[in-house]
Structures are given as C-alpha cells and as structure tokens.
C-alpha cells in the first residue's frame, strides 16, 4: 500500500514538474537570469567600488554606469519576461513559429499599458500620455509579464488552429513571409482582444489591466510565497520532493523563484537609490543561507563526511562531490551517497534548511546582518556568497560559518545512523 502511494506521489509530482507552462516559466527565467546577475554586479560597482575611487559630483556621474545597466535589466524585467515566456511556451507546444508568438506577446504587453500615467514633476506629479514607465515595465509588474506571456500565447495558439484564420501564400514565397502571413489573423485578433479588454476595464472600473493583475493576482500570491511560513512550506516541500528523485525546481522554480527574484530586484533598486531595502526573503538570501552547497545544505554534509566519517564508500562519494558541492552542485551527493530514498538522510536534508532560514531571517530582521541587495549567481560558493549578496557586510560570512557548523552538528548523528544501515545491508547481502 505504501509502495503504491509512493509511486503515485512520485508520478504526480513528475507530471507537475513536466507541465508545459511551468517548464516554460523555468526556461524563461533561466534565459534572463544573466541580466539580473549583471544588475547585481552593477549595484556592487556603483555602491562598493566607485565610492572608493570617486567622490562628489564625479561619483554621481560615474554611477550613471550602473544606473544605465539597471534601466536595461531590472527596470524592464516584465518586458524581458513576457516575450521570452511566449517563445518557450509556443516552442514547447510545438508551434512552428515561436518568434511570432514572442512578438505578439510583446505587442500585447504594450497594448495593455495605461494610456495616461503619472510622472514626477517638480516634487509633484502630472498626468501625461505617450509614455511607458519603468513601474509598468519592470520589477513591480514582472508578474504581469508572466501572465500576459502565458495567456496571450495560449490565445494565439488556439486561434492559429482555426483553418479559416490561416492565410496560405503557397510554396513560392520565402518561408519567413509565409509563416508571418499564416499567423497574421490570429495575431491581429489576439492583440485586439486584449485592447478591447483594457478598454472595457477602463470604462467600467476606471482601471488598467496591469493594475488589476498586480492588485488581484500578483500581490496575494507574493504575500503567500514570500511570507516566512509560506516560503518555508514551499521550499521544504521542494526539498522533500528531491529526496524522492524529483528535482526541487519543480516547486521552487515556478512557485517561489519569480517572487524571490522580484524581492531581490526591489532590494537592488532601493540600495542603489540609498534607501532601506524592503525585503528579507530574496533569491540571494536563499542562495546564501538556505542552500549552502546546494539544496538541503549539503555542504554541511560534505564536511561531516570528510571530517568524521570512516566509511570508505561515503568518503569516496564525499571527495568526488566536494568540488561541485563548493559551487552549489550537489547531484553527485544526492544520487551518489545517496540521499534519495535514504530515510536517515531525508530528515536532516529537509530540516536543516528550515533552521538555517529561520536563524538567518531573525538575525537579519534585528539588524545584526544586512539584507541581501545583490543578485548573485546560484553557483557562488558559501561564505563568499553572503559577503557579495549583502554588498560587503563582513557579518554575513560569519553567520554562514555558524550555520554551516550547526548543519554539520545536525547531519552528524543521522550520518552515523546511515552508516549503520549501510553496514547492516552489507552484512545481510554478504
């Protein structure tokens, strides 16, 4: 009975992880992550390096370097995500012209922008037309880009299946022209539908579609996904799935990463403007404190094995896993030790990141460690990651070392139990 339940659970989780919309979302985020990392480097250069070199008006001028990069990355995050998601979703669904879907999604995103916006003017604001604001294109509207990328693409694909809407120019015309005309009517109808919806909302509710999505969908989901309890549940559930051989990105990718990324983007913008960063839980916080060495904080397990274990198989796996583990790649440990379906190892694998997150959260909340304000690559090694993510706060690496020691102490008794189980299995098979 337990075996049947486990098999059904694994099959269900695998289907969720392979669901085309979630897979497309992960692909899109993976594509634009270099832009966020670039923004993080710009924040470091602007606020850590340049102040050592320049001062006064010269420093202000030099910081335009990072500000320009922010405008081309963080401040258009929604604009980057929307066509990227559309491209991967249409491609994953076998659409023959995915670049067309990206163009339609981008046009749709611009179409739903409010026609009049408030812009700063002499310590006040004025209403103006013909302007696109970073507020509607960037981090604050990032979820809007996700929704429009998914929905506009689905509408386009449904319309494109209607033969009456397809224009066939024959085989004599260039392929690019033929593909363009074959999707022309579905593209026109898709963009027009969203324009009509925007007009309807404006007339009936005096509200644009972006504000509606942010208010009714983005903010409630974000409050759940980045609240301490909500995050711990989702992140821990993802870790639990990994112990059954299902990659934790099934949960963390679509359900936490977009909001944690939005949080770090907001922190970077606030830090670059000299204001207090608003968020503790960010994607860089997770990298620095909750998954040192990879999911399950397996850097702690590596140290426990290499320092305290005398089991040759474990030590060999530990040696092979050390180099990738330093850079947050722990699949050799998870599948080689293994942690997968290893009951003694499953418990600390799930529990330790919870404890590390709670401790780091409290320490950050009371101001003993700075908030994370730099988007760092997930492969950044422990200790270095905390220093970089907090823009050079020396207390962050100290906290990481303390959390690593705690993780080693918790992993150690479970490691000894796992060694006994391994010896017992060898005796039974010998």
């Amino acid at each position: 009975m337990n075996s049947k339940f486990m098999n059904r659970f694994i099959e269900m989780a695998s289907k969720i992880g392979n669901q085309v919309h979630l897979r497309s979302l992960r692909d899109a985020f993976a594509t634009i992550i270099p832009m966020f990392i670039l923004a993080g480097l710009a924040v470091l250069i602007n606020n850590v390096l340049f102040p050592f070199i320049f001062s006064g008006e010269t420093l202000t001028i030099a910081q335009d370097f990072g500000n320009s990069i922010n405008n081309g990355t963080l401040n258009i995050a929604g604009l980057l995500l929307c066509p990227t998601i559309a491209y991967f979703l249409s491609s994953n669904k076998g659409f023959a012209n995915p670049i067309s879907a990206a163009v339609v999604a981008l046009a749709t995103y611009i179409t739903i922008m409010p026609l009049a916006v408030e812009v700063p003017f002499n310590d006040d604001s004025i209403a103006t037309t013909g302007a696109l604001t970073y507020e509607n294109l960037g981090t604050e509207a990032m979820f809007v880009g996700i929704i429009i990328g998914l929905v506009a693409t689905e509408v386009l694909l449904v319309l494109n299946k209607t033969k009456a809407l397809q224009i066939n120019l024959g085989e004599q015309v260039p392929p690019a022209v033929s593909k363009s005309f074959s999707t022309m009517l579905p593209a026109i109808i898709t963009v027009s539908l969203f324009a009509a919806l925007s007009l309807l909302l404006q007339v009936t509710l005096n509200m644009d579609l972006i504000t509606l999505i942010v208010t009714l969908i983005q903010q409630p989901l974000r409050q759940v996904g980045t609240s301490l309890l909500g995050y711990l549940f989702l992140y821990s559930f993802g870790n639990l799935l990994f112990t059954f051989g299902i990659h934790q990105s099934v949960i963390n990718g679509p359900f936490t990463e977009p909001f944690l990324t939005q949080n770090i983007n907001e922190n970077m913008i606030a830090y670059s403007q000299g204001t207090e960063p608003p968020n503790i839980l960010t994607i860089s916080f997770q990298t620095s404190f909750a998954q040192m060495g990879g999911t399950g904080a397996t850097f702690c397990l590596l140290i426990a094995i290499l320092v305290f274990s005398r089991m040759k198989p474990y030590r060999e796996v530990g040696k092979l896993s050390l180099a990738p583990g330093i850079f947050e790649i722990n699949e050799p440990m998870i599948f080689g030790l293994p942690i997968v379906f290893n009951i003694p190892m499953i418990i600390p694998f799930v529990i330790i990141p919870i404890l590390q997150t709670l401790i780091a959260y409290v320490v950050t909340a009371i101001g003993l460690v700075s908030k994370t304000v730099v988007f760092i690559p997930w492969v950044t090694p422990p200790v270095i990651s905390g220093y970089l993510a907090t823009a050079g706060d020396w207390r962050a690496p100290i906290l990481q070392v303390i959390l690593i020691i705690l993780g080693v102490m918790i992993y150690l008794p479970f490691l000894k139990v796992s060694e006994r189980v391994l010896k017992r299995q060898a005796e039974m098979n010998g």
Side-chain angles (χ1 to χ4, degrees):
M1 183 66 178
N2 289 336
S3 177
K4 288 183 178 180
F5 173 78
M6 185 64 66
N7 290 335
R8 288 178 181 176
F9 175 77
I10 293 173
E11 183 180 353
M12 180 186 69
S14 299
K15 287 181 178 178
I16 293 175
N18 201 43
Q19 205 276 334
V20 65
H21 298 91
L22 301 183
R23 190 169 76 246
S24 301
L25 187 59
R26 292 197 300 269
D27 293 341
F29 266 94
T31 300
I32 67 170
I33 273 179
M35 297 298 99
F36 295 151
I37 293 174
L38 173 60
L41 294 175
V43 169
L44 280 176
I45 293 171
N46 259 21
N47 297 279
V48 179
L49 178 61
F50 281 172
F52 280 106
I53 304 174
F54 307 110
S55 61
E57 186 177 347
T58 305
L59 173 60
T60 302
I61 295 173
Q63 287 178 329
D64 284 344
F65 168 78
N67 294 337
S68 298
I69 290 177
N70 281 341
N71 286 342
T73 53
L74 300 182
N75 289 337
I76 58 167
L79 193 65
L80 292 173
L81 265 174
C82 181
T84 309
I85 289 172
Y87 178 88
F88 282 110
L89 178 59
S90 59
S91 179
N92 288 335
K93 284 201 161 191
F95 186 51
N97 192 13
I99 193 64
S100 176
V103 171
V104 170
L106 180 59
T108 302
Y109 187 39
I110 301 300
T111 298
I112 67 170
M113 294 284 165
L115 297 178
V117 294
E118 296 284 333
V119 296
F121 182 76
N122 292 339
D123 297 327
D124 198 357
S125 62
I126 59 173
T128 184
T129 59
L132 299 178
T133 64
Y134 289 134
E135 181 180 3
N136 290 326
L137 297 173
T139 296
E140 292 185 28
M142 194 167 68
F143 198 74
V144 178
I146 294 174
I147 294 293
I148 297 301
L150 293 173
V151 177
T153 302
E154 285 291 356
V155 173
L156 176 69
L157 296 184
V158 169
L159 293 173
N160 193 68
K161 292 178 181 178
T162 305
K163 291 186 178 181
L165 298 177
Q166 296 179 0
I167 300 175
N168 188 354
L169 298 181
E171 299 179 356
Q172 287 74 27
V173 298
V177 176
S178 177
K179 287 182 180 180
S180 176
F181 271 82
S182 68
T183 60
M184 183 173 66
L185 291 179
I188 291 173
I189 295 173
T190 299
V191 176
S192 299
L193 284 174
F194 279 90
L197 177 58
S198 296
L199 176 61
L200 180 63
L201 287 173
Q202 187 63 45
V203 171
T204 57
L205 301 177
N206 193 29
M207 179 183 293
D208 60 271
L209 188 55
I210 289 181
T211 302
L212 183 69
I213 293 175
V214 170
T215 304
L216 297 184
I217 302 177
Q218 175 175 309
Q219 290 303 335
L221 288 177
R222 185 182 175 196
Q223 287 176 4
V224 173
T226 60
S227 67
L228 182 58
L229 290 178
Y231 170 76
L232 287 175
F233 172 77
L234 291 171
Y235 185 64
S236 300
F237 185 57
N239 289 352
L240 179 63
L241 288 181
F242 215 169
T243 64
F244 299 131
I246 303 164
H247 204 282
Q248 47 83 25
S249 62
V250 169
I251 295 297
N252 296 341
F255 297 114
T256 64
E257 186 173 327
F259 303 117
L260 293 176
T261 301
Q262 183 176 358
N263 282 5
I264 189 63
N265 288 349
E266 288 182 355
N267 281 12
M268 284 195 286
I269 292 172
Y271 183 73
S272 66
Q273 294 174 346
T275 58
E276 175 65 21
N279 306 301
I280 295 177
L281 288 175
T282 70
I283 195 71
S284 295
F285 179 96
Q286 177 177 291
T287 299
S288 301
F289 303 117
Q291 60 178 44
M292 288 179 285
T295 302
T298 49
F299 189 71
C300 305
L301 178 57
L302 275 172
I303 295 175
I305 290 173
L306 295 177
V307 175
F308 298 104
S309 178
R310 295 295 176 264
M311 289 283 292
K312 184 176 180 180
Y314 280 8
R315 291 188 62 82
E316 289 300 317
V317 171
K319 291 176 183 178
L320 292 173
S321 303
L322 180 60
I326 290 174
F327 296 97
E328 310 286 314
I329 300 170
N330 62 351
E331 278 79 3
M333 177 69 68
I334 288 172
F335 297 103
L337 191 67
I339 293 174
V340 173
F341 291 107
N342 185 346
I343 299 299
M345 288 289 97
I346 288 176
I347 298 172
F349 186 87
V350 175
I351 294 298
I352 290 174
I354 295 176
L355 296 177
Q356 291 177 330
T357 298
L358 286 171
I359 293 171
Y361 187 96
V362 171
V363 170
T364 304
I366 62 179
L368 294 180
V369 170
S370 300
K371 294 176 182 176
T372 51
V373 293
V374 176
F375 195 115
I376 57 172
W378 64 271
V379 293
T380 307
V383 182
I384 297 175
S385 59
Y387 184 78
L388 293 177
T390 55
D393 185 353
W394 57 270
R395 299 169 298 180
I398 294 176
L399 174 59
Q400 286 182 290
V401 171
I402 293 173
L403 294 178
I404 289 172
I405 293 173
L406 173 65
V408 171
M409 294 173 61
I410 296 174
Y411 259 121
L412 192 55
F414 292 97
L415 176 64
K416 294 302 180 182
V417 171
S418 182
E419 288 178 346
R420 294 193 190 102
V421 172
L422 185 64
K423 288 181 181 178
R424 179 61 177 164
Q425 289 173 343
E427 292 172 358
M428 293 174 64
N429 296 329

